[in-house]
Amino acid sequence: MADTALDKFESIDGSKLGELSHLSNFEVTADFRKIAPDNLNGNEPIDVGRGNPNWINTTARLAQGRMVEFGIKDSERTFTKDNGAMAGYIEMDGIEDRFKEFMNPENPADQLLLNTVKYATDELGINGDEMVHEMADGAIGNHYPVPSRSLVNVEKILNKYLEKALYRGAELANETELFPTEGGAASMVYIFNEMKLSHILEPGDKVAINTPIFTPYLEIPILKEYNLEIVPLLSSEDNDWQMTDEQLDQLKDPSIKAFFDVNPTNPAARAFSNHALDKIKEVVEANPKLTIVTDDVYGTFAEGFKTIYSVVPHNTLLVYSFSKLFGVTGHRLGLTAAHKDNVFDQIIAEKTAANPEIKAEFEDRYSKVVTDPLHMKFIDRMVADSRAIGLYHVAGLSTPQQIMMELLAANNLTVGDDTYLDASREVVGERYNAFWNGLGVDADESEGNTKYYTLINIPTLMEKSYNKDFSDWYVKNYNYLDFSYRLVREFGAVIMDASSFGANEGYVRISLANMPTESYAKIAEYMKELLAQYYAEYQKNNK
Ligand SMILES: *Cc1c(COP(=O)(O)O)cnc(C)c1O
């Protein structure tokens, strides 16, 4: 190894970096976080490794609080005891009128609630008393979720939100069924579990995955209980972070049972192009039994976004999360969406007809909870299996969380232009510019860039900032984690290495979501300083 600044660090040497490269990027970053406060320059630590946003949606939270207040007041109508510490229950009859009287249209939170009910009654034809009753009873959380998959009106509102935010004109709200879950994370877990239990994915099956990708999609399929073979479709910066036609053509092979994708991507932060969407349509025509799971958590951050679900709805399960856009990671709010007519159910029917053992297995498993176990839909199996069958009658997401999601969605549905979406794009956009301007390198401004994250190739940055010989020298002489390590050790700035996402070595990910704009200018400055240090070492060694 060349004479590096690492030599003067007492605690970590090259071998330690070697050890680190066996860990996942989340663990490496956790180690970096620990050493950041002791950085050699005595800087205030900056952590841009996290995807957790540092903003929150205020209106829907306040509205949720007001709905709780209203629900309690309405419960007191039936009876109270213990000086009001106990109240009775909500009655449906006349509740819309009582609600309208309680709410103050001058207050933005109350206005959201009034608008939500108005939207439900006027646009969706929902009965006003039923709507308000579901919201109030759901907000106070006094009943098990019924139906367990999703509250009835919550599903209608969420469907309209998904249609407006992600489908770009395709009208699928009425044909889509939803299962609200404990974040997108639970949706992912339930989907993997159900694809296995339904025999859609068997051990040894091939699943294609668009990489680089959010690491769980690489880590879950290879677990012993799934034992799937991953076919990575690696996109590269040279191809604008899009999959090539040749890569997408691989999906036409019927031995590929499923395609898992994150769109827009994490970490590359790019939406699939229209061309890729057309190509996916073509692929499904050639391989009609292909199952697709699309994780569209970042969809709203890309202008003009269109989900794969709206292109091939019958083949696709859509995973959505409210975590990022609305700053509700602690709430755990996500969902799975499925078309009423889908290949998941078709495959189940075919397997049942073709294989007596599978038929017997399904009958045995689901007859405990439904009268027609063989025709139980994939999405309902997901709900039942999420509670190990035995607890199906108390399954479903907590009702206050369902109402919270409904209000976040309604906040977007009931305003004419998406001012909240614009604000969220503005926040990450400013930080993105502060970072790339600070580095003095042209930023990627192409369409479909969410700017929620940005990937930086360190050797390429070295080449752009100095020259190719210098960057080759770095690659040859240093562990690929060296730059990130020295950035934290010397400057206290934590960035995330992107190799465990499936990116080629040399890429680091910066999240634009979790620090104020100034921090991004600062981190660019530190990176430039560090580049200059490496360059000085390069010159010293190449005299
Ligand atoms: C953050 C993230 C999730 C997790 O969403 P939660 O709703 O917080 O569980 C899922 N998928 C991707 C791609 C993410 O980046």
Side-chain angles (χ1 to χ4, degrees), residues 183-185 188 214 262 266 295 297-298 321 323-324 329 332-333 453:
M188 289 167 59
F214 185 48
V262 172
N266 169 9
D295 177 336
V297 169
Y298 299 101
S321 164
S323 283
K324 308 286 164 51
T329 47
R332 315 307 298 124
L333 305 177
Y453 302 107

Side-chain angles (χ1 to χ4, degrees), residues 168 208-213 233 235 239-243 248 251 259-266 268-280 292-296 299 302-309 311 447-450:
R168 208 208 283 159
I209 294 182
N210 82 303
T211 60
I213 195 168
L233 306 183
S235 62
N239 196 41
D240 222 8
W241 294 115
Q242 299 291 331
M243 286 169 287
L248 285 165
L251 299 176
F259 173 50
F260 287 85
D261 71 85
V262 172
N263 179 31
T265 51
N266 169 9
R270 297 291 300 278
F272 291 1
S273 65
N274 287 328
H275 178 75
L277 295 176
D278 289 344
K279 199 66 197 164
I280 285 166
I292 299 176
V293 178
T294 189
D295 177 336
D296 295 359
E303 232 155 310
F305 177 74
K306 183 174 186 176
T307 173
I308 289 181
Y309 177 69
V311 178
E447 208 194 41
N449 186 345
T450 67

Side-chain angles (χ1 to χ4, degrees), residues 141-163:
N142 179 35
H143 291 103
Y144 285 108
V146 177
S148 51
R149 179 169 56 72
S150 172
L151 296 179
V152 174
N153 300 318
V154 165
E155 182 178 35
K156 291 179 182 161
I157 298 279
L158 295 183
N159 259 326
K160 277 292 181 189
Y161 167 72
L162 295 174
E163 184 176 270

Side-chain angles (χ1 to χ4, degrees), residues 293-361:
V293 178
T294 189
D295 177 336
D296 295 359
V297 169
Y298 299 101
T300 58
F301 290 92
E303 232 155 310
F305 177 74
K306 183 174 186 176
T307 173
I308 289 181
Y309 177 69
S310 63
V311 178
V312 283
H314 305 287
N315 295 67
T316 306
L317 296 176
L318 183 154
V319 173
Y320 184 69
S321 164
F322 291 74
S323 283
K324 308 286 164 51
L325 175 59
F326 297 105
V328 289
T329 47
H331 271 281
R332 315 307 298 124
L333 305 177
L335 58 82
T336 301
H339 197 274
K340 285 179 182 168
D341 171 15
N342 65 67
V343 291
F344 297 81
D345 293 334
Q346 258 179 48
I347 296 171
I348 289 173
E350 283 167 13
K351 297 249 173 184
T352 308
N355 185 329
E357 264 175 51
I358 289 179
K359 179 168 179 262
E361 187 185 310

